[in-house]
Amino acid sequence: MAAYKAKLDEFHQVLSEDEIDLKHLEKICFNGIPDVPGIRPLSWKLLLNYLPVNRSKWPQFLEKQRHTYNNFIKEMIVDPGKQHFGQNEKMDVTFEDHPLNPNPDSQWGAYFKDNKVLVQIDKDVRRLCPDIGFFQQACDFPCEEIVNAQSMETLRKRVDCSVLQFQTVTKNRQGIYNVISKKASQEYEVLTNGQESHWEVVERILFLYAKLNPGIAYVQGMNEIIGPIYYIFASDADISWKKHAECDAFFCFTNLMSEIRDNFIKTLDDSAMGIGNMMKQLMTRLESEDIALWQRFEKQDLKPQFYSFRWLTLMLSQEFPMPGQSDCIQSNGIIDHKKKPSPPLVPVVIIAIISCRLYVIYLR
């Protein structure tokens, strides 16, 4: 008990300083963050290079970031939603942009491309962390401009239209198209007007990230990275922080993805920074640390793709329950002042593998 109290006092002391010592904070966070209100979310914001180390700069910085994020929502969701709302009236397709316009610069073409990404995001976030009920609950601070919108096409409406289009039209062996009224099952249902679930907030974050990063857009698995980050921020006991959990989670997720995005780019799998090379490093390190275990894997033809691909790409986020899951990501993916991941994830996975082997030997 005394050791735990001393650890709490050390966290409070570090986080209350006018100039935060990131190296010290990183060191004490590596062994786990106490489950005390306010400590974990604040530590994350600092270690993911979101908050400046100087506390006096926080008010101005946060005001700027939240204004920027609100502009993202307006420019990429609200304004396009108002533009496409009710566009069923007749138009002169000779001069106007229209849904069948083959021009690559067509706004309709970009709209359909965005819908394809949005539908994939929607499928993934609806099944995010199904073992807890958090993400299907209504959030305390929904985006008012969206949930109360009367004359705009929200992301919810766009998904409904897209799912209806993709899921209800089939083609039989004779080449005849049939329309089936049954829609795909949904793990998380939407709430009534005026409310939005936490998974809808995560969906909006990922959609904005995809829009702002067209080179990578959205890849399945990103939802598992943003999930714990948003969960911690949206569960903050401090209302002043909790109110802006969406914005803060977006920028922390963006900072983290800037370090691990190569893992989600298929064309870079075999490059020096790709996931393929990382798995090779894992096996090379395992061979040097535990040759007997490495030989066992080789004899059984147990490829690292079978078990380590998910561990490395998702940063072990699916292996531990929240909130401890969050500390796992934080301890393996934090970004120090030199913009490098610290500590490397490969040695952490090696320690986990060897520890499991020793545990099995102990049980025998």
Side-chain angles (χ1 to χ4, degrees), residues 86-99 108:
Q87 289 200 3
N88 292 324
E89 63 273 10
K90 294 181 179 180
M91 64 178 66
D92 186 351
V93 298
T94 305
F95 301 102
E96 299 289 342
D97 191 13
H98 56 87
W108 276 102

Side-chain angles (χ1 to χ4, degrees), residues 137-143 191 196-198 201 230:
Q137 297 173 359
C139 60
D140 296 327
F141 301 98
C143 182
L191 302 178
E196 64 178 354
S197 307
H198 288 292
V201 178
Y230 174 76

